[in-house]
Amino acid sequence: MAAEYEVQFTTTGRVPARDRAEFWTDHVRFNHGTLDYSFPHPDEHSPAGFAGATHVQRCGGHQLVEFWSDRITYARTARHVRGDDDRSMRLFVPKSGALTVTHDGHALPVPVGHAALVSMARPFELVHRPQARAWVLTVPEGCLPDRAVADGPSVLDLRRGVGAVAGTMTRALARERTSLSGPAFVAISARVIELVSLALADTHGHIRPGGLQAVAAAAHAYVDERSDDPDLTPASMARDLGWSLRQLQLALRAAGTTPAELLRNRRLDRARSRLEDPRWNAVSVGGIAFASGFGSLGAFGTAFRARFGTTPKAVRAAGPAAALNAAVSPAVSP
């Protein structure tokens, strides 16, 4: 059953003043999990008179919250991390005012035009001034590599390049909240996360000069080395390379393929080479299929015919001489 798309507006203005701090605490915990809260000193603003509001969009594991409120400090502690094992991330995008994210004693200002990515699997603090407005995008576990925040929160520049596109799409996602379907909201949220991944890679050097081409080249080299492993999958490939699956898919899409297609074609090429190699004559067609990483003889045969237009047995029967002739014969125009 498809997840339901929810759009909700919540405000402390509908709650008695004495109950607002507790109401806000419960509301934010429902959206973001376990946190500690530090309201301003009563001499500055009374917690009893605390004011804030949110627009929440949610479908499945994807969520976008637009909020404004009086000054407050949110703290995600080591105790919280141990208690709920939440490994998702949050992208904080100021709309007006400024946020400050603190990790391990280091404060990172996040002004308008920037964004901060934090992991719920690591302690952090978030504080903002009165009447600040911001968006908070939930990044479900596994959508971005953990290395993106391995050294603490990452601050992105949303004023230019890929970051600017991600910021524009975030604003549009919020603005069109009532016009979207659940699948559309999830799809656009996923695209924003892909763009954030690229912006982070450019910021931290995870993608070296050559950009997506470098990621694709690394994937090709990895598959060349490991394609015989029947347990190798697109997900495990991305994990071993240190990328998210989404980022790997995006890089290979730019190169005209997909992780699954790259892996399948490399296995087929290797299997055909072995079928034509006299040193493999004593190994059955099924044995070559399994040695080349295929888990099913039927799937191997179907994929082989689709790629080469012939059968594995026919290739073996033709022998290495036919393969050599095909490789050295000049092309003849009709």
Side-chain angles (χ1 to χ4, degrees):
M1 181 177 179
E4 182 180 356
Y5 176 50
E6 304 174 65
V7 179
Q8 299 174 340
F9 174 71
T10 302
T11 175
T12 58
R14 300 169 182 170
V15 178
R18 66 179 180 276
D19 298 328
R20 289 180 181 176
E22 182 178 359
F23 173 82
W24 189 257
T25 298
D26 290 341
H27 177 59
V28 175
R29 281 179 178 164
F30 181 80
N31 293 331
H32 299 295
T34 50
L35 297 163
D36 280 344
Y37 302 77
S38 177
F39 291 90
H41 190 277
D43 291 341
E44 182 180 354
H45 293 285
S46 171
F50 179 83
T54 64
H55 280 287
V56 179
Q57 298 163 253
R58 183 186 301 113
C59 188
H62 290 271
Q63 176 180 271
L64 180 65
V65 178
E66 181 177 344
F67 79 90
W68 69 265
S69 78
D70 290 335
R71 179 183 175 89
I72 188 173
T73 298
Y74 302 97
R76 174 81 171 167
T77 69
R79 172 173 53 84
H80 297 140
V81 171
R82 291 192 301 270
D84 61 21
D85 195 32
D86 182 355
R87 311 196 72 80
S88 63
M89 300 180 191
R90 297 294 185 276
L91 183 72
F92 297 109
V93 184
K95 183 178 182 181
S96 62
L99 311 179
T100 299
V101 176
T102 301
H103 167 78
D104 200 23
H106 300 287
L108 297 172
V110 190
V112 174
H114 294 74
L117 181 71
V118 304
S119 171
M120 298 298 283
R122 293 178 176 82
F124 68 88
E125 286 189 356
L126 173 73
V127 61
H128 63 79
R129 297 175 180 176
Q131 306 307 310
R133 290 177 176 265
W135 295 283
V136 186
L137 179 70
T138 294
V139 179
E141 180 181 354
C143 288
L144 290 177
D146 188 65
R147 63 186 291 183
V149 288
D151 298 322
S154 293
V155 176
L156 291 76
D157 189 343
L158 303 184
R159 298 170 298 177
R160 59 182 63 85
V162 176
V165 179
T168 297
M169 289 185 67
T170 301
R171 292 190 292 273
L173 189 61
R175 184 178 62 248
E176 300 299 323
R177 61 176 66 93
T178 60
S179 303
L180 299 173
S181 65
F185 171 74
V186 169
I188 297 169
S189 296
R191 297 301 175 270
V192 172
I193 293 169
E194 285 182 356
L195 293 170
V196 167
S197 179
L198 291 178
L200 283 168
D202 288 340
T203 298
H204 296 296
H206 296 164
I207 296 181
R208 296 172 292 281
L212 294 177
Q213 292 91 337
V215 179
H220 276 82
Y222 182 85
V223 168
D224 283 346
E225 180 181 351
R226 297 284 306 280
S227 63
D228 285 351
D229 181 357
D231 294 325
L232 181 61
T233 66
S236 65
M237 187 195 317
R239 183 178 63 249
D240 290 348
L241 288 168
W243 308 101
S244 72
L245 179 56
R246 288 185 182 279
Q247 192 166 28
L248 182 62
Q249 289 169 334
L250 192 63
L252 289 176
R253 185 189 309 161
T257 188
T258 67
E261 184 176 82
L262 173 64
L263 182 56
R264 181 176 62 252
N265 286 344
R266 186 65 188 93
R267 285 169 170 166
L268 288 169
D269 289 342
R270 184 158 290 180
R272 176 161 189 160
S273 176
R274 287 166 174 166
L275 288 167
E276 296 168 341
D277 188 338
R279 292 172 297 180
W280 285 76
N281 283 347
V283 181
S284 67
V285 170
I288 287 178
F290 297 134
S292 302
F294 286 91
S296 162
L297 185 56
F300 168 65
T302 299
F304 196 97
R305 285 191 296 272
R307 179 162 172 77
F308 300 117
T310 186
T311 66
K313 288 184 178 180
V315 168
R316 165 158 278 180
L324 179 62
N325 291 336
V328 301
S329 297
V332 179
S333 300

